[in-house]
Amino acid sequence: MRIEPAPWVRGSLRVPGDKSISHRALLLAGLAAGRSYLGHCSDAADVAATRHLLEAVGVATFDRGPGQVGVLGRGRWRWLAPEGPIDCANSGSTMRMGAGALAGHAILAVLDGDGSLRQRPMARVATVLGPLGATVRCLGDGGRPPLEVCGRAPLAGDVTVRPPVASAQLKTAVLLAGVSASGPVTVEEPVATRDHTERILPLAGISCRVEAAAEGRPWRVTVAPGEPEPFGLTVPGDLSSAAAFRALGAMHPAAELRLEGVGLNPLRAGLLDVLGAMGARIAVELASEPAAGEPTGSVSVRSGPLVGTVVAGALVPRAIDELPLVAVLGTQAEGVTEIRDAAELRVKESDRIEAICAGLRAMGAEIEPSPDGLRVRGPVRLRGARVSARSDHRIAMALAVAAAVADGPTEIEGAESVAISYPGFFDALRAVCD
Ligand code: S3P
């Protein structure tokens, strides 16, 4: 993909439905006996992988129009044993959260994926589902996929699970399994991660109690098991897809951009805080009605000077997928921008610390990786270069917005990976830059 420098960035944009919420809504719909309907469902390849998982266990999904998806759920405990390994493609969410949903069925399923997914850590899934009585084994070397899930119906209840890393995917795996348990299941996280599952479960009539973290006390979520009821919801615009445009609007010298109908979940919207700390000119308008239990609204952003900032601690899980964009923003900000406490970035679809540092360095950035983050000094004039997205959608989008503010054209190898989360990304980029 060749990206030319953008003369300006302007207009208004509506991004596709949120990928994280779409995965969760589909899996929960599969656990509800009857027809559920999703509006504005994500068109991402990752979400198609979750639909594929559902089909493999006898849950039919059908398209009713663009973004309109119906699910004919079988009910908890009633998924069918798949005929062979289920291909989760590139989707860690499908594998981890799908394992949780599968765990409450007395069936054996093997979850596999592409070369990137086969490199990702999965022993953590066994760690969190084991206490509920599911037998989960990593069939690859060193705790890697394929992942074998041998479920049980019902799972054990009255259990508290403490995930070994702050991960919303692990929390969700436990909560979806908890629906099929014989008593309440609690997850305790020292640092709060995105709470989309907690917000969706009540829409299916499942009670979910959240005790927010306080001084010395972790974030606790308790799900009460029950038969989920079919539901309907509209998925908000994907905050992480919108993030690339927020970053571009804040960095580009001639930008005025509005993003409509986008999710504003506080545990996911860390990039807004980062942009605020960098001095970006950003305005948020909250919509009166939530969607899928989530606050939504529009975000406007325009050009302005940026200063360096530090992203660390509790802010990291709230901005985890946007951290490559923070690195790009750092190249255009005055002073040092530093990311710490983000070692998880090394085990995403690529090693995102190495990938973004290599890409931006080729474009002339002063950027250094560290074991759990990176440090970048700005501002620098980026120059167009040949860079690799390492087949990672978030890196492809981050390098594309860097290319839009660079001098000269940039060639991004592996840019087609944007389809993993945002198939229309390059069309949207062209639309606001032309
Ligand atoms: C996700 C959580 C994050 C994020 C991933 C999607 C989710 O992963 O990086 O892209 O939908 O819950 P972890 O929970 O493993 O950090």
Side-chain angles (χ1 to χ4, degrees):
M1 176 64 66
R2 187 182 161 95
I3 310 279
E4 299 289 341
W8 51 68
V9 178
R10 62 185 177 192
S12 142
L13 202 61
R14 199 170 271 277
V15 292
D18 190 276
K19 174 164 93 69
S20 283
I21 297 173
S22 299
H23 282 298
R24 288 159 166 81
L26 286 166
L27 291 169
L28 183 58
L31 293 173
R35 276 171 204 269
S36 293
Y37 293 101
L38 277 60
H40 203 227
C41 183
S42 164
D43 58 350
D46 263 14
V47 172
T50 288
R51 285 180 69 173
H52 172 69
L53 179 146
L54 289 172
E55 304 275 353
V57 295
V59 172
T61 73
F62 43 96
D63 291 298
R64 305 172 74 227
Q68 309 283 323
V69 177
V71 180
L72 185 52
R74 298 188 67 87
R76 63 175 185 163
W77 303 332
R78 289 190 285 275
W79 286 7
L80 305 176
E83 278 174 10
I86 301 175
D87 185 5
C88 300
N90 191 246
S91 179
S93 299
T94 304
M95 188 171 283
R96 295 191 179 125
M97 305 199 276
L102 279 160
H105 300 85
I107 59 176
L108 182 90
V110 174
L111 305 179
D112 205 351
D114 68 9
S116 152
L117 188 52
R118 278 191 161 203
Q119 294 307 313
R120 299 186 63 189
M122 291 298 152
R124 53 183 68 182
V125 182
T127 305
V128 297
L129 294 178
L132 280 84
T135 309
V136 179
R137 284 197 311 145
C138 298
L139 305 181
D141 289 341
R144 307 274 189 263
L147 192 68
E148 183 190 78
V149 182
C150 183
R152 197 172 109 175
L155 290 163
D158 301 301
V159 176
T160 297
V161 178
R162 294 176 188 88
V165 282
S167 160
Q169 293 182 350
L170 294 184
K171 172 172 64 177
T172 298
V174 177
L175 295 177
L176 291 179
V179 165
S180 307
S182 58
V185 171
T186 299
V187 186
E188 279 189 3
E189 346 185 64
V191 182
T193 62
R194 64 188 73 180
D195 60 354
H196 302 309
T197 312
E198 294 89 309
R199 291 169 184 267
I200 288 185
L201 284 167
L203 303 181
I206 298 293
S207 143
C208 185
R209 194 177 75 240
V210 178
E211 294 160 76
E215 205 46 45
R217 227 193 41 218
W219 183 268
R220 294 182 98 231
V221 186
T222 302
V223 62
E227 187 74 60
E229 294 155 12
F231 58 91
L233 59 77
T234 302
V235 179
D238 194 310
L239 211 146
S240 300
S241 299
F245 292 99
R246 279 175 199 166
L248 177 59
M251 283 188 308
H252 194 283
E256 181 134 28
L257 200 56
R258 187 175 160 90
L259 295 145
E260 313 261 11
V262 61
L264 292 170
N265 183 314
L267 290 176
R268 177 92 181 277
L271 183 70
L272 287 178
D273 298 7
V274 177
L275 284 168
M278 296 181 98
R281 296 186 176 154
I282 202 149
V284 176
E285 258 174 72
L286 202 62
S288 50
E289 288 291 312
E294 303 271 340
T296 67
S298 58
V299 178
S300 306
V301 58
R302 59 198 173 93
S303 321
L306 299 175
V307 292
T309 189
V310 175
V311 178
L315 184 51
V316 167
R318 295 177 52 233
I320 187 77
D321 293 333
E322 286 65 68
L323 295 179
L325 290 167
V326 173
V328 179
L329 283 160
T331 68
Q332 303 306 301
E334 185 73 44
V336 171
T337 294
E338 202 177 341
I339 299 173
R340 296 197 293 258
D341 306 326
E344 274 294 298
L345 284 182
R346 294 202 178 270
V347 290
K348 295 289 180 188
E349 287 84 327
S350 69
D351 176 340
R352 288 186 175 159
I353 294 176
E354 284 307 321
I356 198 65
C357 286
L360 291 176
R361 207 174 304 120
M363 297 177 77
E366 270 185 56
I367 186 164
E368 284 305 323
S370 69
D372 67 345
L374 54 85
R375 203 178 143 86
V376 51
R377 180 179 291 279
V380 293
R381 277 191 88 84
L382 294 176
R383 49 173 196 269
R386 238 193 125 78
V387 292
S388 171
R390 305 196 183 187
S391 301
D392 182 331
H393 56 126
R394 303 268 176 233
I395 300 299
M397 289 188 270
L399 292 175
V401 299
V405 298
D407 290 336
T410 295
E411 288 281 346
I412 306 179
E413 192 191 301
E416 65 288 347
S417 56
V418 297
I420 292 299
S421 62
Y422 190 176
F425 171 75
F426 286 110
D427 293 336
L429 184 64
R430 242 170 262 124
V432 297
C433 295
D434 271 356

PDB file of all heavy atoms in Angstrom, residues 19-20 24 93 96-97 124 166-170 172 194 320-321 344 348-349 352 394, ligand 1:
ATOM      1  N   LYS A  19     -15.315  -3.994  17.413  1.00  0.00           N
ATOM      2  CA  LYS A  19     -14.913  -5.401  17.288  1.00  0.00           C
ATOM      3  C   LYS A  19     -15.039  -6.127  18.628  1.00  0.00           C
ATOM      4  O   LYS A  19     -15.594  -7.227  18.695  1.00  0.00           O
ATOM      5  CB  LYS A  19     -13.453  -5.431  16.782  1.00  0.00           C
ATOM      6  CG  LYS A  19     -12.816  -6.784  16.729  1.00  0.00           C
ATOM      7  CD  LYS A  19     -11.572  -6.727  15.880  1.00  0.00           C
ATOM      8  CE  LYS A  19     -10.292  -6.473  16.661  1.00  0.00           C
ATOM      9  NZ  LYS A  19      -9.872  -7.581  17.532  1.00  0.00           N
ATOM     10  N   SER A  20     -14.540  -5.524  19.695  1.00  0.00           N
ATOM     11  CA  SER A  20     -14.585  -6.171  21.023  1.00  0.00           C
ATOM     12  C   SER A  20     -16.022  -6.478  21.425  1.00  0.00           C
ATOM     13  O   SER A  20     -16.325  -7.563  21.929  1.00  0.00           O
ATOM     14  CB  SER A  20     -14.024  -5.233  22.093  1.00  0.00           C
ATOM     15  OG  SER A  20     -12.648  -5.205  22.052  1.00  0.00           O
ATOM     16  N   ARG A  24     -18.228 -10.270  21.808  1.00  0.00           N
ATOM     17  CA  ARG A  24     -18.925 -10.627  23.047  1.00  0.00           C
ATOM     18  C   ARG A  24     -20.415 -10.850  22.793  1.00  0.00           C
ATOM     19  O   ARG A  24     -21.012 -11.795  23.304  1.00  0.00           O
ATOM     20  CB  ARG A  24     -18.735  -9.506  24.086  1.00  0.00           C
ATOM     21  CG  ARG A  24     -17.316  -9.456  24.641  1.00  0.00           C
ATOM     22  CD  ARG A  24     -17.039  -8.085  25.237  1.00  0.00           C
ATOM     23  NE  ARG A  24     -15.836  -8.054  26.062  1.00  0.00           N
ATOM     24  CZ  ARG A  24     -14.607  -7.944  25.589  1.00  0.00           C
ATOM     25  NH1 ARG A  24     -14.380  -7.874  24.287  1.00  0.00           N
ATOM     26  NH2 ARG A  24     -13.560  -7.907  26.424  1.00  0.00           N
ATOM     27  N   SER A  93      -9.022 -12.927  20.353  1.00  0.00           N
ATOM     28  CA  SER A  93     -10.299 -12.771  21.072  1.00  0.00           C
ATOM     29  C   SER A  93     -11.170 -13.998  20.866  1.00  0.00           C
ATOM     30  O   SER A  93     -11.789 -14.496  21.816  1.00  0.00           O
ATOM     31  CB  SER A  93     -11.066 -11.546  20.555  1.00  0.00           C
ATOM     32  OG  SER A  93     -10.322 -10.380  20.752  1.00  0.00           O
ATOM     33  N   ARG A  96      -9.553 -16.939  22.936  1.00  0.00           N
ATOM     34  CA  ARG A  96      -9.604 -16.840  24.409  1.00  0.00           C
ATOM     35  C   ARG A  96     -11.045 -16.739  24.914  1.00  0.00           C
ATOM     36  O   ARG A  96     -11.439 -17.458  25.823  1.00  0.00           O
ATOM     37  CB  ARG A  96      -8.786 -15.637  24.873  1.00  0.00           C
ATOM     38  CG  ARG A  96      -7.303 -15.814  24.566  1.00  0.00           C
ATOM     39  CD  ARG A  96      -6.464 -14.755  25.246  1.00  0.00           C
ATOM     40  NE  ARG A  96      -5.052 -14.954  24.952  1.00  0.00           N
ATOM     41  CZ  ARG A  96      -4.249 -14.025  24.424  1.00  0.00           C
ATOM     42  NH1 ARG A  96      -4.725 -12.825  24.120  1.00  0.00           N
ATOM     43  NH2 ARG A  96      -2.978 -14.279  24.208  1.00  0.00           N
ATOM     44  N   MET A  97     -11.816 -15.844  24.323  1.00  0.00           N
ATOM     45  CA  MET A  97     -13.193 -15.687  24.826  1.00  0.00           C
ATOM     46  C   MET A  97     -14.039 -16.875  24.386  1.00  0.00           C
ATOM     47  O   MET A  97     -14.916 -17.327  25.120  1.00  0.00           O
ATOM     48  CB  MET A  97     -13.776 -14.364  24.341  1.00  0.00           C
ATOM     49  CG  MET A  97     -12.883 -13.191  24.715  1.00  0.00           C
ATOM     50  SD  MET A  97     -13.675 -11.577  24.686  1.00  0.00           S
ATOM     51  CE  MET A  97     -13.565 -11.122  22.999  1.00  0.00           C
ATOM     52  N   ARG A 124      -2.428 -18.969  29.844  1.00  0.00           N
ATOM     53  CA  ARG A 124      -3.223 -18.114  30.729  1.00  0.00           C
ATOM     54  C   ARG A 124      -4.717 -18.473  30.669  1.00  0.00           C
ATOM     55  O   ARG A 124      -5.445 -18.281  31.639  1.00  0.00           O
ATOM     56  CB  ARG A 124      -2.989 -16.640  30.361  1.00  0.00           C
ATOM     57  CG  ARG A 124      -3.216 -16.358  28.894  1.00  0.00           C
ATOM     58  CD  ARG A 124      -2.936 -14.923  28.479  1.00  0.00           C
ATOM     59  NE  ARG A 124      -1.551 -14.510  28.531  1.00  0.00           N
ATOM     60  CZ  ARG A 124      -1.118 -13.283  28.236  1.00  0.00           C
ATOM     61  NH1 ARG A 124      -1.979 -12.352  27.880  1.00  0.00           N
ATOM     62  NH2 ARG A 124       0.145 -12.978  28.303  1.00  0.00           N
ATOM     63  N   ALA A 166      -3.359  -8.539  33.423  1.00  0.00           N
ATOM     64  CA  ALA A 166      -4.555  -7.706  33.228  1.00  0.00           C
ATOM     65  C   ALA A 166      -5.015  -7.914  31.797  1.00  0.00           C
ATOM     66  O   ALA A 166      -4.365  -7.457  30.858  1.00  0.00           O
ATOM     67  CB  ALA A 166      -4.208  -6.239  33.473  1.00  0.00           C
ATOM     68  N   SER A 167      -6.110  -8.628  31.628  1.00  0.00           N
ATOM     69  CA  SER A 167      -6.577  -8.940  30.274  1.00  0.00           C
ATOM     70  C   SER A 167      -8.094  -9.055  30.255  1.00  0.00           C
ATOM     71  O   SER A 167      -8.683  -9.904  30.927  1.00  0.00           O
ATOM     72  CB  SER A 167      -5.944 -10.262  29.811  1.00  0.00           C
ATOM     73  OG  SER A 167      -6.692 -10.813  28.746  1.00  0.00           O
ATOM     74  N   ALA A 168      -8.718  -8.209  29.455  1.00  0.00           N
ATOM     75  CA  ALA A 168     -10.183  -8.250  29.338  1.00  0.00           C
ATOM     76  C   ALA A 168     -10.630  -9.533  28.643  1.00  0.00           C
ATOM     77  O   ALA A 168     -11.742 -10.009  28.857  1.00  0.00           O
ATOM     78  CB  ALA A 168     -10.662  -7.042  28.548  1.00  0.00           C
ATOM     79  N   GLN A 169      -9.747 -10.074  27.819  1.00  0.00           N
ATOM     80  CA  GLN A 169     -10.107 -11.328  27.145  1.00  0.00           C
ATOM     81  C   GLN A 169     -10.213 -12.458  28.164  1.00  0.00           C
ATOM     82  O   GLN A 169     -11.131 -13.274  28.108  1.00  0.00           O
ATOM     83  CB  GLN A 169      -9.067 -11.671  26.084  1.00  0.00           C
ATOM     84  CG  GLN A 169      -9.073 -10.666  24.942  1.00  0.00           C
ATOM     85  CD  GLN A 169      -8.082 -11.000  23.858  1.00  0.00           C
ATOM     86  OE1 GLN A 169      -7.239 -11.877  24.021  1.00  0.00           O
ATOM     87  NE2 GLN A 169      -8.175 -10.300  22.747  1.00  0.00           N
ATOM     88  N   LEU A 170      -9.272 -12.500  29.109  1.00  0.00           N
ATOM     89  CA  LEU A 170      -9.325 -13.540  30.143  1.00  0.00           C
ATOM     90  C   LEU A 170     -10.522 -13.326  31.052  1.00  0.00           C
ATOM     91  O   LEU A 170     -11.233 -14.271  31.411  1.00  0.00           O
ATOM     92  CB  LEU A 170      -8.034 -13.544  30.962  1.00  0.00           C
ATOM     93  CG  LEU A 170      -6.756 -13.937  30.221  1.00  0.00           C
ATOM     94  CD1 LEU A 170      -5.592 -13.979  31.197  1.00  0.00           C
ATOM     95  CD2 LEU A 170      -6.905 -15.271  29.506  1.00  0.00           C
ATOM     96  N   THR A 172     -13.288 -11.942  30.316  1.00  0.00           N
ATOM     97  CA  THR A 172     -14.491 -12.316  29.557  1.00  0.00           C
ATOM     98  C   THR A 172     -14.631 -13.828  29.456  1.00  0.00           C
ATOM     99  O   THR A 172     -15.735 -14.370  29.571  1.00  0.00           O
ATOM    100  CB  THR A 172     -14.433 -11.670  28.161  1.00  0.00           C
ATOM    101  OG1 THR A 172     -14.433 -10.260  28.349  1.00  0.00           O
ATOM    102  CG2 THR A 172     -15.614 -12.076  27.298  1.00  0.00           C
ATOM    103  N   ARG A 194     -11.165  -3.310  30.121  1.00  0.00           N
ATOM    104  CA  ARG A 194     -12.443  -2.928  29.506  1.00  0.00           C
ATOM    105  C   ARG A 194     -13.595  -3.803  30.009  1.00  0.00           C
ATOM    106  O   ARG A 194     -13.440  -5.020  30.159  1.00  0.00           O
ATOM    107  CB  ARG A 194     -12.324  -2.969  27.976  1.00  0.00           C
ATOM    108  CG  ARG A 194     -12.060  -4.323  27.414  1.00  0.00           C
ATOM    109  CD  ARG A 194     -11.766  -4.274  25.920  1.00  0.00           C
ATOM    110  NE  ARG A 194     -10.456  -3.714  25.664  1.00  0.00           N
ATOM    111  CZ  ARG A 194      -9.932  -3.550  24.439  1.00  0.00           C
ATOM    112  NH1 ARG A 194     -10.633  -3.885  23.372  1.00  0.00           N
ATOM    113  NH2 ARG A 194      -8.736  -3.055  24.281  1.00  0.00           N
ATOM    114  N   ILE A 320      -4.593   0.022  25.513  1.00  0.00           N
ATOM    115  CA  ILE A 320      -3.624  -0.985  25.066  1.00  0.00           C
ATOM    116  C   ILE A 320      -3.499  -1.065  23.539  1.00  0.00           C
ATOM    117  O   ILE A 320      -2.392  -1.128  23.011  1.00  0.00           O
ATOM    118  CB  ILE A 320      -3.925  -2.383  25.702  1.00  0.00           C
ATOM    119  CG1 ILE A 320      -2.834  -3.399  25.399  1.00  0.00           C
ATOM    120  CG2 ILE A 320      -5.282  -2.932  25.303  1.00  0.00           C
ATOM    121  CD1 ILE A 320      -1.599  -3.229  26.216  1.00  0.00           C
ATOM    122  N   ASP A 321      -4.622  -1.045  22.821  1.00  0.00           N
ATOM    123  CA  ASP A 321      -4.533  -1.204  21.368  1.00  0.00           C
ATOM    124  C   ASP A 321      -4.146   0.096  20.665  1.00  0.00           C
ATOM    125  O   ASP A 321      -3.861   0.090  19.464  1.00  0.00           O
ATOM    126  CB  ASP A 321      -5.855  -1.739  20.815  1.00  0.00           C
ATOM    127  CG  ASP A 321      -6.105  -3.168  21.293  1.00  0.00           C
ATOM    128  OD1 ASP A 321      -5.126  -3.877  21.581  1.00  0.00           O
ATOM    129  OD2 ASP A 321      -7.285  -3.557  21.408  1.00  0.00           O
ATOM    130  N   GLU A 344       2.813  -6.443  27.584  1.00  0.00           N
ATOM    131  CA  GLU A 344       1.817  -7.228  26.820  1.00  0.00           C
ATOM    132  C   GLU A 344       1.867  -6.899  25.319  1.00  0.00           C
ATOM    133  O   GLU A 344       1.483  -7.715  24.487  1.00  0.00           O
ATOM    134  CB  GLU A 344       0.407  -6.961  27.353  1.00  0.00           C
ATOM    135  CG  GLU A 344       0.025  -7.845  28.518  1.00  0.00           C
ATOM    136  CD  GLU A 344      -0.103  -9.335  28.155  1.00  0.00           C
ATOM    137  OE1 GLU A 344      -0.948  -9.668  27.329  1.00  0.00           O
ATOM    138  OE2 GLU A 344       0.659 -10.138  28.697  1.00  0.00           O
ATOM    139  N   LYS A 348       1.162  -9.367  21.243  1.00  0.00           N
ATOM    140  CA  LYS A 348      -0.067  -9.132  20.480  1.00  0.00           C
ATOM    141  C   LYS A 348       0.108  -9.770  19.090  1.00  0.00           C
ATOM    142  O   LYS A 348       0.936 -10.653  18.918  1.00  0.00           O
ATOM    143  CB  LYS A 348      -0.356  -7.629  20.395  1.00  0.00           C
ATOM    144  CG  LYS A 348      -0.648  -6.993  21.749  1.00  0.00           C
ATOM    145  CD  LYS A 348      -1.987  -7.428  22.295  1.00  0.00           C
ATOM    146  CE  LYS A 348      -2.295  -6.800  23.637  1.00  0.00           C
ATOM    147  NZ  LYS A 348      -3.499  -7.361  24.247  1.00  0.00           N
ATOM    148  N   GLU A 349      -0.646  -9.302  18.090  1.00  0.00           N
ATOM    149  CA  GLU A 349      -0.576  -9.915  16.759  1.00  0.00           C
ATOM    150  C   GLU A 349       0.844  -9.894  16.200  1.00  0.00           C
ATOM    151  O   GLU A 349       1.201 -10.689  15.329  1.00  0.00           O
ATOM    152  CB  GLU A 349      -1.556  -9.218  15.805  1.00  0.00           C
ATOM    153  CG  GLU A 349      -3.018  -9.561  16.065  1.00  0.00           C
ATOM    154  CD  GLU A 349      -3.681  -8.731  17.163  1.00  0.00           C
ATOM    155  OE1 GLU A 349      -2.988  -8.334  18.145  1.00  0.00           O
ATOM    156  OE2 GLU A 349      -4.902  -8.499  17.060  1.00  0.00           O
ATOM    157  N   ARG A 352       4.545  -5.560  19.093  1.00  0.00           N
ATOM    158  CA  ARG A 352       4.203  -4.195  18.659  1.00  0.00           C
ATOM    159  C   ARG A 352       5.246  -3.166  19.077  1.00  0.00           C
ATOM    160  O   ARG A 352       5.322  -2.085  18.477  1.00  0.00           O
ATOM    161  CB  ARG A 352       2.809  -3.807  19.181  1.00  0.00           C
ATOM    162  CG  ARG A 352       1.730  -4.544  18.441  1.00  0.00           C
ATOM    163  CD  ARG A 352       0.330  -4.118  18.801  1.00  0.00           C
ATOM    164  NE  ARG A 352      -0.607  -4.820  17.934  1.00  0.00           N
ATOM    165  CZ  ARG A 352      -1.898  -5.007  18.205  1.00  0.00           C
ATOM    166  NH1 ARG A 352      -2.410  -4.542  19.330  1.00  0.00           N
ATOM    167  NH2 ARG A 352      -2.673  -5.651  17.349  1.00  0.00           N
ATOM    168  N   ARG A 394      -3.018  -3.188  13.662  1.00  0.00           N
ATOM    169  CA  ARG A 394      -2.830  -1.938  14.424  1.00  0.00           C
ATOM    170  C   ARG A 394      -1.542  -1.225  13.970  1.00  0.00           C
ATOM    171  O   ARG A 394      -1.485   0.004  13.973  1.00  0.00           O
ATOM    172  CB  ARG A 394      -2.762  -2.210  15.930  1.00  0.00           C
ATOM    173  CG  ARG A 394      -3.973  -2.934  16.474  1.00  0.00           C
ATOM    174  CD  ARG A 394      -5.053  -2.017  16.974  1.00  0.00           C
ATOM    175  NE  ARG A 394      -6.213  -2.789  17.382  1.00  0.00           N
ATOM    176  CZ  ARG A 394      -7.459  -2.595  16.967  1.00  0.00           C
ATOM    177  NH1 ARG A 394      -7.746  -1.606  16.147  1.00  0.00           N
ATOM    178  NH2 ARG A 394      -8.447  -3.358  17.367  1.00  0.00           N
TER     179      ARG A 394
HETATM  180  C1  S3P B   1      -9.497  -7.150  23.864  1.00  0.00           C
HETATM  181  C2  S3P B   1      -8.647  -6.965  24.914  1.00  0.00           C
HETATM  182  C3  S3P B   1      -7.217  -6.655  24.732  1.00  0.00           C
HETATM  183  C4  S3P B   1      -6.948  -6.091  23.366  1.00  0.00           C
HETATM  184  C5  S3P B   1      -7.576  -6.913  22.293  1.00  0.00           C
HETATM  185  C6  S3P B   1      -9.078  -6.984  22.464  1.00  0.00           C
HETATM  186  C7  S3P B   1     -10.895  -7.488  24.155  1.00  0.00           C
HETATM  187  O1  S3P B   1      -6.478  -7.842  24.881  1.00  0.00           O
HETATM  188  O2  S3P B   1      -5.562  -5.972  23.151  1.00  0.00           O
HETATM  189  O3  S3P B   1      -7.302  -6.337  21.023  1.00  0.00           O
HETATM  190  O4  S3P B   1     -11.763  -7.409  23.267  1.00  0.00           O
HETATM  191  O5  S3P B   1     -11.170  -7.849  25.299  1.00  0.00           O
HETATM  192  P1  S3P B   1      -6.095  -8.393  26.353  1.00  0.00           P
HETATM  193  O6  S3P B   1      -7.346  -8.443  27.090  1.00  0.00           O
HETATM  194  O7  S3P B   1      -5.506  -9.737  26.192  1.00  0.00           O
HETATM  195  O8  S3P B   1      -5.110  -7.379  26.856  1.00  0.00           O
END
